Amino acid sequence: MTSQPAPAVPGGAAGATRELLPAAERGATVIPDKVVARIAARAAREALHGQAGTADMKLAAPHASVAVAGGSARLGLTLDLPYPADLAGTAREVQHYVGERVAQLTGMKVTEVTLTIEHLVPSAGPEHRRVQ
C-alpha cells in the first residue's frame, strides 16, 4: 500500500503567515432598506415615549420609509404626536433622536429625516376635558 501526501489545509502553518486584507477591502455589510425602516420606526417610538407625559398615551405605532444610497439614508416617518405640546420642539427632538439612533445602529450617514404628522392625540388628563 502506498501512502499519498496529505492535501494542504487552508489556514495551516503556511496560511498563518499570510496577512488578512483590511476590512474595507474584504467586503461590505448590506442592511436592507426594510430593516433600516424598522430601526427608524422603533427609534421614533423610543423618542416619543421619552417625552414627558406620553408614556400613558395611546399613540399609534410610527411607520417609516427609507431610501438608502451610497452608505447614506433618507428617512421618512409617519406618526402621531401628543397634544397639547410644543409641536415644533417635539418634532425636532424626534428627528434628531431618530437620525442619531439610526446612524449609531447601522453605521449609515442619515442625511434627512422628514415627519408626517397623522394625528394630534389629546392627553387623557381631567384638566383637558370639554365642559358639558
Side-chain angles (χ1 to χ4, degrees):
M1 211 175 188
T2 62
S3 65
Q4 296 181 358
V9 178
T17 58
R18 268 192 331 192
E19 292 184 34
L20 292 175
L21 290 174
E25 295 178 18
R26 284 186 263 161
T29 300
V30 178
I31 303 172
D33 292 1
K34 184 176 180 179
V35 173
V36 177
R38 291 185 80 178
I39 291 170
R42 176 69 175 223
R45 187 175 3 200
E46 290 173 5
L48 289 171
H49 283 282
Q51 298 285 325
T54 60
D56 58 342
M57 295 184 74
K58 302 292 184 195
L59 299 175
H63 297 284
S65 61
V66 64
V68 176
S72 63
R74 292 177 31 201
L75 307 173
L77 296 169
T78 302
L79 53 114
D80 294 349
L81 286 182
Y83 184 81
D86 174 16
L87 299 177
T90 301
R92 277 191 303 272
E93 288 177 22
V94 169
Q95 286 175 311
H96 179 73
Y97 183 84
V98 170
E100 292 292 319
R101 191 76 171 132
V102 169
Q104 177 186 34
L105 292 173
T106 64
M108 294 179 180
K109 179 180 177 186
V110 177
T111 58
E112 180 180 9
V113 180
T114 58
L115 298 181
T116 301
I117 309 305
E118 283 276 310
H119 301 99
L120 296 177
V121 180
S123 64
E127 65 275 1
H128 298 293
R129 292 187 193 156
R130 294 183 72 185
V131 177
Q132 294 184 346

